[in-house]
Each structure stands twice: as structure tokens, then as C-alpha cells.
Amino acid sequence: MRFRNTQLLTGIAVILAVAGISWGQEPGIGIGVGSLEQLTRPLAGAAQRASSSHEDLEKNGDARSIDPGATLVLLDTEGPGMVTHIWNTVGTTDPFHGRNLVLRVYYDHADKPSVVAPLGDFFGIGHGAWRDLVSVPVTVTSAGRSRSCFWRMPFQKAIRITVTNDSDIKVDSFYYYVDWLKLESLPEDTLYFHALYRQEHPVQSDGHYLIADIQGRGQYVGTVLSAHQMETGWFGEGDDFFYVDGEALPRLRGTGTEDYFCDAWGFREFCAPWNGVPVYEGVITGDRVSAYRWHVQDPIPFQRSLRVEFEHRGSVYNDRGSLTDFEVGGFLNRRDWYSSVAFWYQAPPAALDDILPPPAQRVAPYHIYKATDLTFRGDPPILILPADPAVLYAPGVAKAQLEFDLALEKDGRYRLDAVLYHTLMSGTWRVLLDDKPLGPTLDLNAAGADFRWVFLDTLDLKAGTHTLRFECVEESVNRIRALAPKFNLFGVAAISLLRLEDMEGFQQVLKEKTGKQ
């Protein structure tokens, strides 16, 4: 993606303006990033950093652990000042740490936070998914494991930033930077950064989904919206509505969910400086969506209040019926699981209600199986290396295959995912369930060595034992390095099964379509 430097720098300048910070040259206030030329002017303030660096600079243990239920303090300091950058990466066996780790920011010694959101959602990726995202204020890389933001977070008296581990799995390694400026002063009318997570699993049967209900004076700067779809069809016919300063009718009225996120005619995965869809799996039950829209170029001001809502409407297909009644309707209320983060600046800082649903209610009821806990076999059987929790297989020949037995207790519609190894030596593999091909061939070649979450398919399955087989393609496509050893290395750390009938929204859909749960 290419765009002019002036657009990028103008965007950064707008971020600062939204934060309520002057970019003039007044002592102690000037930031001076409106253009490259302004980098020649002195920068007010003293650069500071809080990080996970080891106290002994000669050692390399630059991470912190977070026990289940524990809280790690990233920054706790006096003002005035302004946070300019936060980076972190996580080492844990929790596949949904993006939903189970919670970021909070407290200003000026307040008891309640002004930022409260799961870590992944705050950085633009819902569902605890492992995806990358590239935008101006937020970037996620390393297959969803490295998170950065450049939101300006000014504070007059003090700031405290924490991460809490709400899961029952220990975080072995949490690495972080928090970069900030120590300032002599800030304008009295400086606006403070806020972010708030909400969810409805599923959305209510009628009405709108509430993104934010803000009291005070400020400006709205962003939305992250995620949906886990409980019906086949296009979920995003719903419009966005912005009610400003208590007005009875929305002052800003949308024309469709994808239109609000600056796309059209449905969604597809992309990332742009101010908007994007880092997660889009399709229109089938069980498919997931995450989209972001940063109002940095077009902040929405409010003097007393702002209420942001989305309709949850879309098309619904009768995928268990005949072609003659395939489409049930094109503008119906749907039962999807919605979650969101609203981003805004306001003054004085608001004390937000810190009531997050428990971790078990933030993600779908996935059943995650460690590969080493499943019955598996290889053909040829050489070089199968159990390395808890992963199974590594290096047959060194084409047409090799590795099978796993999946035992299902109930009939149902199942979403099937796996955590697979991507390396220089991995080759190309196809996936079969009970001898039937699933989805496209998997290109597992990569320059590094990473385990990545891979969506395989959604299927109607009967109770009993099913065989999941991975077959090596004879002529590996997209081999990225000629000198890479051709071991046809295959690695699987976990296999995930999600029975959609275990989700409330899908239960309601089935009851309406079939007359039974």
C-alpha cells in the first residue's frame, strides 16, 4: 500500500489535535509533527519509557509473567505528560489471550479506569483472533502477536496503565514498551483518551446494538466492531446512527455496515490507514468478522453527550431448505454475536463502569485439543515427534500423511480450526475429513517459524469418530527458498472444534427454522 508522506504526517497531526494538544512552539506544549520540516524544530518535553527490560542490563530476561487473576502494572507515574506509544507481545499457551488479557488506563489517581478493553480488541482484532493489521494509529504484526498503538494519551496529574490476566492460564512472557513525554504543562482544556469494550452474545432480537453512550464534552475517534455470525447470509445491512447532544434523531445516519467502514458491496479482508477489515471469513454460520474505522481525519465532536448505535440487520438464507426458498429475507434482525470498542477523547476524564463479562462469556465455547492428547498416526510412520503440546512430522518424502481421530459426542454443525506450523521446510498440504477434501490446499511455507491459527471449514457432522487427515502435496507450490531443506515438515499444536448449537444465537435460529433445538 502506498500513500503520500504528507497524508501520513497530516494524519498524525490530526491525532494530536484530537488529543487536545497544540502543535505550536509554546514551551512545554509544542509537538511539531505537522510536516517533515517541523522535525527541525526543538521538541518540548523529556522522552521517557517504561518497559519490561530486566533490571540488570547485562541479562536478557526482558519479560514479565502474569499469573491467573493477577495484574501487571505497565506504567504508574505523575504528570503532566503524554503517552505516545504502547507496544507489547505475549508468550502464552492461551489461544484466546487477546480476549482474556484486559487493558486498563487510569488518569489523575481515579479509582475507575477511562480505558477498559480486552487487549486484542483494543488493538483492532476481535474474537481473540490471530491476525495482522496495519493502520496509522494501530499496527498488529507477527501473525497477530505483536501489538502497537500510537494513540496520544495526555494526563495532567498522573497515569496508571495495567494488564490483567482473566484466564486460568499463566502468561509466561509479557514484553512491553510504554513511551511517553514528561511535559512542563498541558492546556487546561486538554482532552483525555478513552476506550470502552461492549458485547452482546447474541444481540437482542430487535432494536439496535449500542457501541457507546458517552456523557461529557469531547470528540469520537474510532470504532472496532466484531461479529460472530449465527446465520448464513450477509450480516451487515444495518446502518450506523450517531445521536449528538441528546437529539431525538440521529444527526449522522449511515447506509450500511460496510459503508461505515468505507467498503462497499459486502466485505473482504484489507487494511488501510484509517479503516479496514482484518478478519472476514465469509457468510456461513460460524464465520467471523472484525472491522475498524478511525475517525482521525473526521472526528465527531459533541458538547454534552454522544450515543452510537448500529442496526443488526442483514440477509438470511435457509441453508437447510430448498433453492426455491433459499433467501428468507434481505433486511431481517439477526442473532449474531456482536462485540465492539469505542474510542474517544473527552474532558474531564470519565470514570467508566468496569464491568466486563467473565472470560467464558467473551469467546465462543470452543473445545481446544492439544495435538499430543489426540490419537494420531503417520504414513510413513518415521519421524513423528511429539513435542507437547505439538506433534511434529518430518517424513522427508512426498505423499506423506498424518491423521488425527476426532471423537464427537453430539450431532451438530461444527467449525473446525487448527494451529499449524509455518516454516521454510513445511511444504504444501491438503486437508481431508473422512476422506472428503476441506477448503483450499494449505501453503505452510514461511520465512520464519511460527504457529498460526488456520480456519479449515464448517461442517454438519454426526456423533462418532471422524478422521482428520493432512496430506503432503507431491510437488510443493510456493517453495520460497531453493536451499531450504525439503523435509515436508508438518506441525500441529492444537485442533479446535466449535459446535454452533452450543451458542445461544444459533439455538434460536435452529428453533425458528426447524421447530426444535
Side-chain angles (χ1 to χ4, degrees):
M1 180 180 301
R2 299 178 60 194
F3 50 98
R4 295 181 182 273
N5 287 339
T6 53
Q7 290 177 308
L8 174 59
L9 292 169
T10 299
I12 295 173
V14 173
I15 292 175
L16 296 176
V18 171
I21 307 300
S22 168
W23 51 45
Q25 296 305 316
E26 183 178 344
I29 300 176
I31 304 301
V33 296
S35 70
L36 291 175
E37 291 180 358
Q38 288 182 305
L39 296 177
T40 64
R41 303 297 303 159
L43 180 66
Q48 309 284 338
R49 174 179 292 166
S51 78
S52 56
S53 175
H54 199 287
E55 293 181 0
D56 185 344
L57 297 182
E58 298 300 318
K59 295 184 178 179
N60 193 38
D62 295 328
R64 303 287 187 269
S65 63
I66 313 177
D67 290 328
T71 295
L72 175 66
V73 177
L74 309 189
L75 175 66
D76 191 357
T77 192
E78 300 295 310
M82 181 172 62
V83 171
T84 57
H85 170 232
I86 299 175
W87 167 86
N88 64 86
T89 189
V90 184
T92 178
T93 59
D94 178 7
F96 300 109
H97 70 268
R99 272 280 161 90
N100 292 330
L101 297 178
V102 179
L103 177 72
R104 292 179 174 88
V105 179
Y106 304 80
Y107 296 119
D108 299 346
H109 306 294
D111 293 330
K112 289 187 175 182
S114 296
V115 172
V116 54
L119 193 70
D121 298 81
F122 179 85
F123 287 90
I125 308 289
H127 311 289
W130 305 7
R131 296 295 177 87
D132 290 349
L133 181 162
V134 178
S135 72
V136 174
V138 174
T139 299
V140 182
T141 58
S142 186
R145 298 171 302 180
S146 176
R147 301 174 173 98
S148 289
C149 79
F150 298 88
W151 294 113
R152 269 40 182 172
M153 302 180 188
F155 53 97
Q156 295 279 14
K157 298 178 182 178
I159 190 171
R160 187 169 187 260
I161 302 177
T162 68
V163 171
T164 299
N165 180 9
D166 282 349
S167 80
D168 57 3
I169 300 174
K170 180 179 180 178
V171 172
D172 296 312
S173 302
F174 191 92
Y175 297 83
Y176 67 89
Y177 286 32
V178 179
D179 292 310
W180 61 286
L181 289 173
K182 177 68 174 177
L183 300 172
E184 292 295 328
S185 64
L186 285 166
E188 292 184 2
D189 60 351
T190 293
L191 303 180
Y192 286 67
F193 176 81
H194 292 69
L196 179 63
Y197 173 84
R198 286 198 73 256
Q199 71 174 49
E200 291 181 11
H201 290 176
V203 292
Q204 302 303 309
S205 59
D206 53 19
H208 296 172
Y209 173 75
L210 177 66
I211 299 285
D213 190 3
I214 303 166
Q215 304 298 315
R217 177 184 62 86
Q219 16 202 10
Y220 190 82
V221 298
T223 306
V224 171
L225 178 66
S226 300
H228 202 146
Q229 297 175 84
M230 294 297 100
E231 304 189 69
T232 292
W234 166 239
F235 89 102
E237 284 300 318
D239 299 338
D240 59 288
F241 299 124
F242 287 75
Y243 297 83
V244 181
D245 295 335
E247 295 172 344
L249 296 176
R251 185 184 299 179
L252 282 67
R253 310 177 186 185
T255 59
T257 303
E258 80 271 41
D259 305 345
Y260 169 78
F261 291 98
C262 305
D263 205 6
W265 307 109
F267 273 147
R268 65 282 305 145
E269 291 188 356
F270 73 97
C271 289
W274 311 115
N275 62 291
V277 185
V279 179
Y280 184 66
E281 294 172 338
V283 298
I284 304 298
T285 52
D287 287 350
R288 303 174 303 172
V289 183
S290 276
Y292 65 90
R293 169 75 158 90
W294 310 132
H295 290 273
V296 174
Q297 300 283 43
D298 56 342
I300 301 169
F302 52 93
Q303 301 304 314
R304 299 188 306 277
S305 65
L306 180 69
R307 185 177 178 90
V308 184
E309 299 177 351
F310 272 74
E311 294 176 310
H312 45 79
R313 291 177 174 269
S315 62
V316 175
Y317 294 142
N318 184 7
D319 54 0
R320 296 175 184 263
S322 65
L323 289 177
T324 57
D325 61 350
F326 187 60
E327 183 175 72
V328 178
F331 192 56
L332 302 177
N333 280 312
R334 291 171 51 100
R335 308 295 199 277
D336 303 311
W337 287 26
Y338 270 35
S339 56
S340 60
V341 180
F343 300 81
W344 73 96
Y345 286 85
Q346 75 171 83
L352 302 179
D353 290 333
D354 189 2
I355 306 174
L356 284 182
Q361 296 179 15
R362 293 180 209 161
V363 297
Y366 294 91
H367 293 278
I368 309 294
Y369 300 92
K370 291 195 306 182
T372 49
D373 287 343
L374 295 170
T375 299
F376 58 87
R377 55 199 162 269
D379 183 15
I382 60 174
L383 289 181
I384 298 179
L385 307 172
D388 191 41
V391 172
L392 302 180
Y393 181 42
V397 296
K399 295 187 177 179
Q401 61 185 39
L402 184 66
E403 292 183 344
F404 291 85
D405 290 339
L406 304 178
L408 307 183
E409 295 182 356
K410 298 179 180 179
D411 298 351
R413 177 164 294 186
Y414 286 85
R415 176 192 166 102
L416 180 61
D417 299 85
V419 180
L420 302 180
Y421 205 25
H422 293 64
T423 76
L424 275 171
M425 304 172 287
S426 291
T428 310
W429 297 72
R430 56 174 158 252
V431 188
L432 301 93
L433 187 71
D434 300 332
D435 296 323
K436 297 180 180 178
L438 300 184
T441 298
L442 300 178
D443 176 12
L444 303 183
N445 294 286
D450 297 308
F451 280 100
R452 301 182 184 181
W453 183 282
V454 178
F455 169 56
L456 300 179
D457 211 335
T458 303
L459 305 151
D460 290 320
L461 300 175
K462 296 293 185 181
T465 300
H466 298 265
T467 301
L468 178 65
R469 184 164 72 248
F470 299 91
E471 292 183 350
C472 184
V473 176
E474 182 172 4
E475 293 297 331
S476 176
V477 297
N478 298 329
R479 177 72 68 177
I480 62 175
R481 299 295 294 273
L483 295 180
K486 295 177 174 57
F487 292 157
N488 293 320
L489 177 63
F490 182 82
V492 55
I495 293 173
S496 169
L497 287 167
L498 172 61
R499 183 175 179 267
L500 297 182
E501 283 84 351
D502 295 334
M503 302 176 70
E504 182 182 342
F506 193 63
Q507 292 173 3
Q508 296 174 6
V509 170
L510 283 186
K511 187 175 182 179
E512 292 179 1
K513 289 184 176 180
T514 66
K516 61 180 179 180
Q517 288 186 324

